[in-house]
Amino acid sequence: MSEEVASQDGPLEKQDALEEAGGGPVDLSSENHTVSTPEPGKQTEAEQSPASEIKDVEHAVSESIEANEGSSGEEKKEKQKSRIPEDLYYDYEELYSRPFTTEGSSIPQNLLQLSHSFGYDCRRRANLQLLDEHTLAFVAGNVLVLLDIRTKEQHYIRSCSGGGIGTIMPHPSRRYVAVAEKGEQPNIIIYEYPSLRPYRILRGGTGRAYTFVDFNRQGTLLASVGSAHDYMLTLWDWRQEQVMLRCKAFSQDIYRVTFSPDNPGQLTTSGSGHIKFWKMANTFTGLKLQGILGRFGKTALTDIEGYVELPDGKVVSGSEWGNMLLWDGGLIKVEICRKDGRTCHSGAIQQFALDEGELMTIGTDGAVRCWDFENIDTADSVDDSGLFEIEPMNELIIGRNVSLTSMVKSAIPDSTIWYAQDSNGGIWKLDLSFSNITQDPEHLFSFHAGAIEGMDVCGCSHLMATTALDRSVRIFDFLSRKELTTCRYKQGGTSLTWAPCMERSNEGLVVVGFDDGVVRLLELFNPHSLRAVAGRGRSGEAELRLKQAFKPHNAPVTAISYERNGTIMATGSVDCTVFFFVVGEQYEPIGFVTVPGPVQVLQWAPQSHERNTLLVACQTGHVVEIEAPGPDAQNDGSTYQLQNLPIRLFYFSSIKSRIKRDAEIGRRQAVKEKKKQEREERLRKMKEQGQEPTEEELHEEEDREEEEELPPLYIPNPPSPLHCAFYSHPGAFWLSMGGYDSGYLYHCKFAEQQSMDILEQRDEPFSFIPVQDTEHNPILTVCFSAERQLLLCGMQDGSIRAFLLEAGELPPGSMQAYWALSVHDNQHASIRQLRFSHDSNCVLSGGADGNIFSFKLLEQEELQKHQAKIPSPRIGLEAEPAAPDIEDPAAYSIETAKQKLELERMQKEAELRKQEKRKKLSELQSQFQKLLQQNQSLPEHVRLQRVELELDHRFREDAERVAAEKVREVRRELAWEEERHRLSLQKLQERFWNLLMCDIVTLTAIESDYKVSTYRLQVMSSKFQQMKEHDQTVQQPSTVEQERWHNKGEQKDPGNITAVQEGLAEPVVLQPRVPQAGGSKLAGRQAEKLRKAAEKAKRVRAKIEKRKKEWAELYAAKPSEDCEDPEDVRAIQFATENMGDFKLKTAKDFTVPEHLRMNVEKKKAQLVILEEQIYQRKSEMNERVLALRDSKVALISLLRSLLSQLRTLQELLPVEKRRPLPSVPTLLPEETPERKLRYSRATLHRYATLRDKVGCPTQEKGQEQTQDVLELLQRENEEDIHTEEELTHSQENTHTQEQLTELELEMKHVEEIRSLYMQDTLIKQMEEAVWCFDAELRLLRGEKLRLDVQMKLADLRHVTLFQELLLLKEFEKRENTLQERLNTRMQEETELRLKLEECKQQLELKKRDIAKLQEREKALTATFLASLGENNKFTDFLTRVFKKKIKRVKKKEKTSTEEQQEDSDDDSDEESGWGDDEDDEESESGAGVLDDSVCPPNCDPELFENTVKLREHRLDVEELLLEEKKSADSLKKECDSLLKKEKIVQSSLKAAEGDLELFNREKQQKLNELDVVVPLRLHQIEYTNDDVVPSKLGMALVLNTAAVGHLQERIKELQQEKNQQRELYRHARQQHVQLSHERREMEAKILELEARCERMMMMKFGKLVDLEALQTLSGSRTLEEMRQESRVREAEYTQELKLWQDKVADARLAVTEVTREHTERLHRLNSLLTKQKQLEDKLNTRQRKMGAQFQGRRQVEEEERRRMQKLIQSQADEIESLRQEIGALSRKGGHILPPSQPSLPAIPTMPLAHMQHTHTRFSMGWRHSPSSSHEVE
């Protein structure tokens, strides 16, 4: 947005002159968008030096002012005389604002005189300026304070407007200071420094207040911005007090305006949610001001507090979140932050400073940081985030509770000292040299930060205590004008009062209420006196010590007040309670009462009242009067709330609307009385004059008396806030209300009968006093002098009003006479506190702006004591321990603590009762157990059953029911815990077990120590599956580049493009006639023949089209001359990339091939493949190990079966023949790790039992003992297994020996032999099975070891790939950016090529269309010439008609503007005019004056109509041709522009490819820096020095063995390929020569065949014809019908001819006879003529001398000459017609007409027979032309 405002004459009162000079009023807020252009011959801004720029701007300013002042010489002289002289000064005494005194007021004007300012408005923007080396300046309400840093003395400059001061700014030379004020139409006053005399006054810059002013670097100009509602930006020539330029800067608050120090004429403004860049431009209309609003774009909108202009025109600004924004051209170029995205500051950046090449930033986080200026000036984002990361060069952290808002540099040259404004209440001195001798930050001054919440003065000394929400309490000596001491707490202070000086110990007691509800009693004493008593040294003039702290409220304490005797203290709070305390050495709580609203004011009844009551004013408008509680009012119960105190309530109800209504009634009544008196006077005069008033006049008077409706009564909702309340007399009080009810002091009293319902109670004041000018400026606080002669009121606008009292009471009428003085800021600083000193000689005020002022009351002599008396410490103070403080904001209040103690007491009593019951129950249980034991010791017959011991079974059932209910209750209580443990177990299983595909299973051999274990393998994660699926779905590399190089150099031949045939309108004369469906004159055979001919022509046409299409495809497939075979291109590219030596990746010029380029996706794919291979190999090995374990399980089962059989056999054998049983192996725990997680309820019970045996685990050894319990449980399980096996297999046969017979013995012996064999067989079988298993395990172990080696290598490879992946991720963002840029360029190139090809195709189509139109135009011309015929005497006329350009109405007029229609009309007029010119030229050339729009006489009308139609068609064709040519020209231009764009895109594409190539090299270098572990054996190392392997292999090259072998084999392959290529080249060369010969032969043969074809066509057709058109000609039905009709007529004519021939034969005979007779007569005539000739000859010889004879000869010669000329002309016409006929025949599709014959002139002497022959010839050739036939006849 560009804003431009005309320069103005100066103050607002001169605006009329501006309007007269400019011809109209000047719109200050309008936006005029203009563009200024430099005058020729002048330098541009970029070419001018800074000094010349400054001079140009100043010169432009002076010229603009002079131009606005007038143009005539006399006016200039007058203006020069009226210019303000340099030595002019104003009188400060006449300017500064004084107190306002109303008429009739007896209060002296010098009632209050400013003594000192103890505060500092630290939260005002830029409220700290340095005037010289030792003087600081800042604004304090309505005064400008000049503070001497060394002596701390203050000097004051009072506001001249009385409305406050907006901002200040010293001149660059520090000789002047600009003070911009507030108020109605405020001024800017320039004071000279150090004399402080008003030098210049700038008027009319804004309407309400100035927010910021700034001088330019040279100090010649001043810029100012105003506040709401005009926000006016004004540029001043301040020395002449003239406005140069002004404009509305923005529509929201503006914080700053500055001139650019390096670019004169440029300004910058910033504020709420905006920044704006301004420029002063000197145009031909004067000086202009142009503004461009900064666009945030993607960056969040922010308020901009600080910024700095860079020398190159850029601007760096701050933001609310602490980052810097670099602006360039009105847009954010980049956002600057610290590394890892950290903000530059933790809070908003308040100010920038550019000092000695370093950029300093000041933030609200209390830090000053220095940044590299060059890096920031050239900063740019490297990605789409828009961020630029940089670290500060230096930084200074001042403190934790420091918030800097502005800084000013010392006036000493080359100084590094700065003075900083701290918004938390301080002024700092900073050394920003950042060297080894840098001084620590020095806190020069400390003030309150924010509004003064509490203030009070000592009742016996000139001491003042203040507190604020900045958590500090300060004590001031306002007599000696200094701060004595300060103490800080964790919460802000909200109220304060000084204890009454009833006792000496209370002189220094200050009571402070805080934001958390705590009340602290602070004791002020003189530490020097304490030093004499205690013997300890103390520093400072005064000290505050905590005496007692208690918390009566749970919300901020808003009021504290002492009873009139000082025995009771009351505190009020926002929590709607008032707490009473007994005043003593320790304050004891009495109790509290609840009030209807938050407490605003507390006031005890004065001594003059009988009852000792407390007046409580609430913010909601409630006023409560509470009787003072006595000492016996304390409640010993569980609460401090007082129940029986007498309370009276008043709820203010608005009466302002009724007051206004009564005033309106009174006004109307007065008006009515006045009118009545006037009417009576008029009637009296009429009676005196003898006139009687008519009834109409009386009725008119009555009608006039009709009154308007009175204003309605209004009650504000919500109610108006209550600000102030004070007693007037017992039971009555005054109220000051805000909001709607402001403007009055209301006198109220409590009702005698109090309402029972507080919510429904409404009370009205019984009296009121209007206060002048307080409708929107209510009284907030009041203060009475000691004698109650003077009332001071603190107003909302920051002013103090004084009223004189009558006998200590307010005046009964009104408070119109008063004295007022503006003290604090009039817009944002209401007076919160106002106090008289104890002697009523001083007045102190505290405001919301943080300022504290002390005033002297009237002119008084200097006080004798120059320092306030500080109370002495109490006796024994040094021995007292420090009082406990309440630091926790959440601490219990007094009431809450008492209730808590009562609750704990009740709980303790209940617990004691429970313990007594439990003890009694335990005694009864022990007695019952003794009875049971006695019962058990009795005999059984005497023993009682357990059922008998039950007194009643219902007791047991009830107990069981209760127990069951408790169990259910316990289960319900433990349900959450049970669910938590279940979920924990589930999570543990999911985390550690479910994700485990296979745990480590260690399989051990049976008879050896060999072991083989599985791999601990986890389930493939979902992330891995996603990566795998992603890799499978990843698209193949983009084919854009492949298409690019594939299509490189291939350009489509325009001739091979098949044009899209567009239907163009053919001329009517050339369209064939459509055969009519009506009766055909052809016979069936002829129709059939015609149909066959048409079908044949159709087939031929299709064949020709097919052949054309094949030729077009063949030509389209024909490569261009610079095209290469793609296979050859790929082969060359492969050879180029792989030729030469082996490419090392570490080479600097190594170019990464396309297929070897790596990115994150490819690397992830490699990782996925590697992990998948590792997983597969490990899974396969695990499956084999587990299969072997299954075989071991099967083997153990087999061995057990065999062992059982063996034991059964051995039972039949004697003991001595039994072989030792082989041991059966068992599965070890490590072979079945999954059994560890198998448990049952018995296992859990056993685990609980073992845990109880071991003991509950402690915190230190819990884990070890838990592990011991698990080992014990496992050991018991193993013992159980072994015990079961022993029990199962330890049964031995114990046979008893019996007597056997011999047969039985023999059978037993045989059985024994068989058993021995079976025993040996079974043992051998068991041993073989064990040996086979061990062999399999040993083989598997070997494979496992080899796989371990491979897995280690794979792990190393995995580590390398992962390192490469991490490195590639660092490059991914840049690579994506570069690749995207390259793809974009390639896409642009492809699109441009497609557009170019499309454009070329369209251009070729247009060319073909143009050629067709040209052919049609020629055909029309030929048709026209053919229609004329030979020797047409209207040829010239018809040619002129045919070629005439006429104004034609367009068939389709497009919707256009009037201008386009006018242009088209003008073009048509020009064309018609041009045609007329041609017609005129043709007329002048001798064509006659015939009208070419009407057919002339004797001209064939059909020929004329045909000519007109042909002309229309010709004009249509010409229009189409013109449009096509225009389209072709536009397409050609478009092609040219596309070619240029293509070149540009190609260059940018090459640049992008180069950037990507450099990036790939850089990435490859980074990848080369990664270490790769390659284990090698000695035989693999071929790098030796003298056949010795060197100790360091840093220079060795690691290659794959396959690669080395491939290189060695490649040498041989290249030699073979070289020979093959030579042989191929030789064969190709021979083939090329042979093909060249064949081509030449074919070309010659083609030429020979073409010549032969032409000869045959000439022989057959007599001319060259189009064979394709001839072949596609089909029979014409019309032609065949005409031929048929011709044949019919020919037969008829033949018969008629025979008749006529017979007649002719007869006639010939008669003619022969007549001819013979005629011949004879001719002979006789001949002889006669001969004689006649002889006679004539003789006669002629006699008359030779006669003149007439010679004259006759001349005539004959002239006739002969004319005849010969006609003959030559006719021959020339015949030649021309023959030429046209030849041309028509030579063109394809030409319309052939019969040759025309010129008419020869008649020869008189021609014989009759010759005449008859000529007649016959012409009649046959011109049958259709009767006129020509007639002429020949």
Side-chain angles (χ1 to χ4, degrees), residues 338 342-347 361-371 392 394-404 407 420 422 428-432 434 438-442:
R338 300 181 69 178
R342 294 179 297 155
T343 57
C344 300
H345 285 268
S346 298
T361 57
I362 299 95
T364 56
D365 56 355
V368 180
R369 293 187 172 91
C370 291
W371 312 83
N394 298 297
E395 65 177 352
L396 175 64
I397 307 298
I398 298 174
R400 293 180 57 187
N401 296 323
V402 178
S403 177
L404 301 182
M407 288 199 322
D422 182 6
W428 292 81
K429 180 181 178 181
L430 308 177
D431 183 3
L432 300 183
F434 298 106
T438 300
Q439 301 176 7
D440 293 335
E442 181 182 355

Side-chain angles (χ1 to χ4, degrees), residues 1004-1010 1222-1223 1225 1326-1328 1330-1331 1333-1334:
T1004 308
I1006 298 175
E1007 294 183 350
S1008 63
D1009 296 333
Y1010 291 114
S1223 60
M1326 294 174 67
E1327 291 176 351
E1328 287 180 354
V1330 170
W1331 182 84
F1333 173 77
D1334 289 349

Side-chain angles (χ1 to χ4, degrees), residues 747-766:
H747 204 184
C748 310
K749 64 180 180 180
F750 296 102
E752 296 297 335
Q753 296 295 329
Q754 293 288 316
S755 175
M756 299 303 293
D757 189 358
I758 298 177
L759 298 177
E760 297 297 332
Q761 181 176 349
R762 293 292 186 273
D763 302 289
E764 294 183 354
F766 67 89

Side-chain angles (χ1 to χ4, degrees), residues 132-323:
D132 58 22
E133 182 180 352
H134 304 292
T135 305
L136 294 173
F138 56 85
V139 178
N142 268 264
V143 295
L144 174 63
V145 181
L146 306 181
L147 177 61
D148 193 315
I149 302 174
R150 298 171 297 178
T151 63
K152 299 186 179 179
E153 294 182 356
Q154 293 182 358
H155 299 277
Y156 309 103
I157 300 177
R158 183 158 178 82
S159 166
C160 295
S161 64
I165 299 176
T167 183
I168 58 174
M169 180 60 65
H171 192 268
S173 64
R174 302 189 187 276
R175 291 180 52 202
Y176 307 96
V177 57
V179 179
E181 300 193 344
K182 296 181 180 180
E184 292 297 329
Q185 297 297 324
N187 300 327
I188 301 176
I189 303 177
I190 312 295
Y191 292 91
E192 186 186 45
Y193 185 79
S195 65
L196 299 180
R197 291 186 297 171
Y199 183 62
R200 293 292 183 266
I201 300 177
L202 309 181
R203 302 176 178 88
T206 187
R208 292 283 301 276
Y210 290 97
T211 58
F212 203 88
V213 295
D214 185 52
F215 289 95
N216 65 345
R217 190 171 188 176
Q218 293 72 34
T220 58
L221 302 178
L222 177 70
S224 66
V225 289
S227 65
H229 299 280
D230 54 7
Y231 303 110
M232 192 64 67
L233 169 63
T234 310
L235 268 64
W236 306 83
D237 179 10
W238 63 272
R239 293 185 183 273
Q240 297 300 320
E241 300 181 359
Q242 291 182 347
V243 176
M244 290 173 47
L245 297 171
R246 65 169 51 179
C247 178
K248 183 172 183 179
F250 200 61
S251 59
Q252 295 181 14
D253 291 340
I254 299 146
Y255 303 153
R256 289 172 59 88
V257 58
T258 56
F259 286 92
S260 174
D262 301 292
N263 299 289
Q266 293 187 9
L267 299 92
T268 306
T269 60
S270 71
S272 176
H274 80 283
I275 185 171
K276 206 167 187 179
F277 312 99
W278 301 87
K279 182 178 180 182
M280 290 187 293
N282 188 14
T283 65
F284 64 92
T285 58
L287 199 62
K288 304 293 181 181
L289 189 62
Q290 298 174 348
I292 300 176
L293 185 63
R295 307 293 183 183
F296 285 87
K298 296 181 180 179
T299 307
L301 197 69
T302 177
D303 296 343
I304 296 180
E305 294 279 355
Y307 60 85
V308 63
E309 298 92 344
L310 304 184
D312 57 356
K314 299 187 184 74
V315 174
V316 180
S317 74
S319 62
E320 295 179 65
W321 54 87
N323 281 345

Side-chain angles (χ1 to χ4, degrees), residues 1187-1246:
L1188 188 60
R1189 187 187 66 171
D1190 294 341
S1191 65
K1192 184 176 182 180
V1193 172
L1195 176 62
I1196 291 173
S1197 176
L1198 177 63
L1199 291 178
R1200 286 178 179 174
S1201 174
L1202 295 176
L1203 184 61
S1204 176
Q1205 297 179 16
L1206 187 60
R1207 283 175 178 162
T1208 304
L1209 289 174
Q1210 286 185 351
E1211 289 177 359
L1212 304 176
L1213 294 175
V1215 178
E1216 66 273 8
K1217 291 185 180 180
R1218 297 177 183 174
R1219 294 180 61 180
L1221 293 175
S1223 60
V1224 177
T1226 59
L1227 289 177
L1228 301 177
E1230 57 190 15
E1231 293 179 338
T1232 57
E1234 62 273 9
R1235 289 185 178 179
K1236 295 179 181 179
L1237 298 178
R1238 295 177 184 174
Y1239 64 91
S1240 61
R1241 186 168 295 275
T1243 308
L1244 295 178
H1245 284 300
R1246 190 179 302 174

Side-chain angles (χ1 to χ4, degrees), residues 1034-1100:
V1034 165
Q1035 297 179 355
Q1036 295 297 326
S1038 178
T1039 58
V1040 176
E1041 190 170 354
Q1042 298 178 2
E1043 294 178 357
R1044 178 172 167 267
W1045 74 260
H1046 179 71
N1047 297 330
K1048 191 172 182 179
E1050 294 186 7
Q1051 301 293 336
K1052 291 186 178 181
D1053 187 5
N1056 296 333
I1057 301 174
T1058 59
V1060 180
Q1061 301 294 334
E1062 298 181 0
L1064 299 176
E1066 296 290 339
V1068 179
V1069 294
L1070 298 181
Q1071 291 181 355
R1073 295 182 181 177
V1074 180
Q1076 299 180 358
S1080 177
K1081 300 180 181 180
L1082 298 179
R1085 182 178 179 186
Q1086 293 175 349
E1088 183 67 20
K1089 183 178 180 182
L1090 186 62
R1091 185 183 60 78
K1092 290 181 178 180
E1095 292 178 355
K1096 180 179 179 183
K1098 185 176 180 181
R1099 288 195 300 271
V1100 172

